[in-house]
Amino acid sequence: MSQNLPLHTQLYDAMIQRIRSGAWKEGDRVPSEKSLVAEFGTSRGPVRQALASLRAEGMIVGGRGAPPRVQRTVPAQSFDTFLSFTEWARSIDRSPGQRVIEASRRPATEEIARELGIAPDEAVVEVIRLRLLDGEPAMIERSVHPFWVGRHLLAADLDGGSIYQTLLALHIAPVRARHVIDAVAAHPLDAEWLGVAAGSPLLRARRVTRDEHGGVIESADDRYLPSMTTFVIENTAEHRIPLTREPA
Amino acid sequence: MSQNLPLHTQLYDAMIQRIRSGAWKEGDRVPSEKSLVAEFGTSRGPVRQALASLRAEGMIVGGRGAPPRVQRTVPAQSFDTFLSFTEWARSIDRSPGQRVIEASRRPATEEIARELGIAPDEAVVEVIRLRLLDGEPAMIERSVHPFWVGRHLLAADLDGGSIYQTLLALHIAPVRARHVIDAVAAHPLDAEWLGVAAGSPLLRARRVTRDEHGGVIESADDRYLPSMTTFVIENTAEHRIPLTREPA
């Protein structure tokens, strides 16, 4: 173990590693303090501190009567992995893919103008792509960008890669996103691209993404085949997360 | 303002109140430090501290060239309001309602036993209810409970109120939940209850809820009319939240 970190942090890291690797399995009893002290060759204090941290994060549950047990929690996905289909697919060792259906420049409708915070009739760039996981259709992605962002995309190789990476390379960095999740019936054209019957239920995630100045760089509408993707959220009584159920 | 809180906290509270009430509107420029100092009759330090807190929480964006602007963020919904349909409806000034479709005791299937962490064939209690918002069908709620929890529900007035409140009164307190969100086509019976065509897209939220000891007290499957309810999530590059996109 590294000598640079406090002992309880080193123990915490070692225990997290055991939970992540499955060496300590979900539902297993956590080894006793005594056996951990013996195994790690430390005093009781740092072991207790490490266990308390795991408990505070919900990775150990029980106690007060019930024996403490291991609990795997939903990991917090990094912002870029959650935002970028390409990054996400790679993070789960799947191969991301895309086919551009349409990339166009046109005047903003009133609704789009309101969403992007621009004047109606200002130019926007819309990109529609079919996204693939290991070569299988998984999602129809529609994103609309103000022209100062979108003009870079019209010039980019959208068949080859990630819009997210393209923007990052231009120092256009998303730092905040609001996601509205619901369900819709597949339009006939989307259904054809996704290889399902028209009217099939799709999981829809609409997203407004902002840069560090609060400017909207993207308004997106992603429609997933629910057989390919779900969203997983974990919340607890102690830790509030920015999550609401809202009337449609 | 209360004399008991530090000045910067009082200023922060006052500013939050203005954003929540809409007195400071989304997209508005934040008043200058100078004008806030004059208005609140304080020194510059506490005003700066209050503004820095709002900025850290993403309620003010911009700066570094761009003028600071007001940003409304998705509030973190409290754990109980997110979990309980009844609490949620009340929190948005809507009237919650329910009709019990079925409440039954039966042996656990293998799948349910695995989810609840009990032996197959142990007794479980399943409750199926139609949930209403202002008298309109909004969701079909199916929840399965281990018998030590569910036996209380068989005896309760499920037409009259909240399962959540019933359990709390018995000191069975949910403290952690994992939600898996996707989309499904409405079964003919669900469609009839919800008043839509069979096959219509529904927003599904499956949930496993645990008490303080890590024991599962509920496995639920809620199917929402997307015209009535959405889920809203906000994430930022700085603050990770327990949210992932997962392969189905």
Side-chain angles (χ1 to χ4, degrees):
Chain A
M1 288 194 261
S2 151
Q3 297 307 306
N4 298 322
L5 294 171
L7 197 51
H8 66 89
T9 306
Q10 295 180 38
L11 292 174
Y12 168 86
D13 287 345
M15 293 179 195
I16 283 273
Q17 186 48 37
R18 290 183 181 189
I19 295 173
R20 296 234 166 95
S21 69
W24 287 3
K25 284 184 193 57
E26 164 119 42
D28 273 6
R29 282 175 92 126
V30 177
S32 69
E33 280 179 21
K34 200 173 152 184
S35 70
L36 290 168
V37 163
E39 183 189 345
F40 288 110
T42 71
S43 60
R44 210 166 185 100
V47 165
R48 281 204 176 146
Q49 243 180 305
L51 290 172
S53 298
L54 290 173
R55 190 183 295 272
E57 293 181 4
M59 305 194 71
I60 292 180
V61 292
R64 279 164 290 182
R69 292 187 185 280
V70 174
Q71 167 91 50
R72 283 189 80 150
T73 57
V74 169
Q77 205 160 69
S78 76
F79 183 69
D80 52 346
T81 304
F82 193 77
L83 222 56
S84 162
F85 186 90
T86 304
E87 307 269 325
W88 169 63
R90 288 187 182 138
S91 77
I92 55 169
D93 287 322
R94 305 281 287 273
S95 170
Q98 57 271 317
R99 282 186 220 143
V100 176
I101 297 176
E102 193 186 321
S104 59
R105 173 188 172 156
R106 70 163 89 120
T109 61
E110 252 183 55
E111 193 189 340
I112 290 290
R114 200 169 41 243
E115 276 174 22
L116 297 183
I118 60 176
D121 292 332
E122 263 188 61
V124 296
V125 171
E126 179 170 26
V127 178
I128 307 177
R129 299 193 295 181
L130 171 68
R131 305 308 306 258
L132 312 162
L133 260 190
D134 289 345
E136 295 292 319
M139 189 253 279
I140 297 280
E141 174 192 86
R142 284 182 179 78
S143 53
V144 183
H145 307 269
F147 191 68
W148 67 273
V149 174
R151 67 192 179 89
H152 301 293
L153 299 176
L154 290 177
D157 171 22
L158 295 173
D159 271 310
S162 161
I163 287 183
Y164 192 86
Q165 289 301 337
T166 303
L167 296 182
L168 280 190
L170 294 158
H171 305 289
I172 299 173
V175 300
R176 169 178 300 278
R178 182 182 199 269
H179 313 261
V180 178
I181 295 173
D182 66 1
V184 290
H187 292 311
L189 267 177
D190 285 4
E192 202 178 314
W193 281 104
L194 291 168
V196 294
S200 295
L202 302 179
L203 177 62
R204 176 167 68 167
R206 282 171 291 175
R207 177 176 71 248
V208 170
T209 311
R210 292 171 189 272
D211 68 7
E212 58 178 348
H213 305 300
V216 176
I217 59 178
E218 166 195 63
S219 168
D221 177 318
D222 293 346
R223 301 183 184 202
Y224 293 88
L225 274 184
S227 59
M228 296 291 279
T229 310
T230 62
F231 293 111
V232 179
I233 299 162
E234 204 166 84
N235 61 355
T236 72
E238 300 100 43
H239 298 110
R240 289 187 170 212
I241 62 172
L243 163 69
T244 65
R245 170 163 50 183
E246 298 200 349
Chain B
M1 288 192 261
S2 153
Q3 297 307 306
N4 298 321
L5 293 170
L7 196 51
H8 66 87
T9 307
Q10 296 180 37
L11 293 175
Y12 168 86
D13 287 346
M15 293 178 195
I16 283 274
Q17 186 47 38
R18 291 184 180 186
I19 295 173
R20 294 233 166 96
S21 70
W24 287 3
K25 286 186 192 51
E26 165 120 42
D28 273 5
R29 282 175 93 126
V30 178
S32 68
E33 280 180 21
K34 199 173 153 185
S35 69
L36 291 168
V37 162
E39 183 190 346
F40 288 110
T42 71
S43 60
R44 209 166 185 101
V47 165
R48 282 206 175 144
Q49 243 180 305
L51 291 171
S53 299
L54 290 173
R55 190 183 295 272
E57 293 181 4
M59 305 194 72
I60 291 179
V61 293
R64 280 166 291 184
R69 292 188 183 279
V70 174
Q71 167 92 50
R72 284 189 79 150
T73 56
V74 169
Q77 204 159 70
S78 76
F79 184 69
D80 51 346
T81 303
F82 193 77
L83 222 55
S84 161
F85 186 89
T86 304
E87 306 269 325
W88 170 64
R90 287 186 183 139
S91 77
I92 55 168
D93 288 322
R94 305 281 287 271
S95 170
Q98 58 270 318
R99 282 187 219 143
V100 176
I101 298 174
E102 194 186 320
S104 59
R105 174 188 171 153
R106 69 161 88 118
T109 61
E110 253 182 55
E111 192 189 340
I112 289 290
R114 199 168 44 241
E115 276 175 22
L116 297 182
I118 61 176
D121 292 332
E122 263 188 63
V124 296
V125 171
E126 180 171 25
V127 178
I128 307 177
R129 299 194 295 181
L130 172 69
R131 304 308 304 261
L132 311 163
L133 260 190
D134 290 344
E136 296 291 318
M139 189 253 280
I140 297 280
E141 174 192 87
R142 285 182 179 76
S143 53
V144 184
H145 307 268
F147 192 67
W148 68 272
V149 174
R151 67 192 179 89
H152 302 293
L153 300 177
L154 290 177
D157 171 22
L158 295 172
D159 271 310
S162 160
I163 287 183
Y164 193 86
Q165 289 300 338
T166 304
L167 296 182
L168 280 189
L170 294 158
H171 305 288
I172 300 171
V175 300
R176 171 177 299 279
R178 181 182 200 270
H179 313 261
V180 178
I181 295 174
D182 65 1
V184 290
H187 292 311
L189 266 176
D190 285 4
E192 203 178 314
W193 281 104
L194 291 169
V196 293
S200 295
L202 301 178
L203 177 63
R204 176 166 68 168
R206 282 171 292 175
R207 177 175 70 247
V208 170
T209 312
R210 293 171 189 272
D211 68 7
E212 58 179 347
H213 305 300
V216 175
I217 60 177
E218 167 195 63
S219 168
D221 178 318
D222 293 347
R223 301 183 183 201
Y224 293 88
L225 275 184
S227 59
M228 296 291 279
T229 311
T230 62
F231 293 112
V232 179
I233 298 161
E234 204 165 85
N235 60 356
T236 70
E238 300 99 43
H239 298 110
R240 288 186 170 214
I241 63 172
L243 163 69
T244 64
R245 171 163 49 183
E246 298 200 349

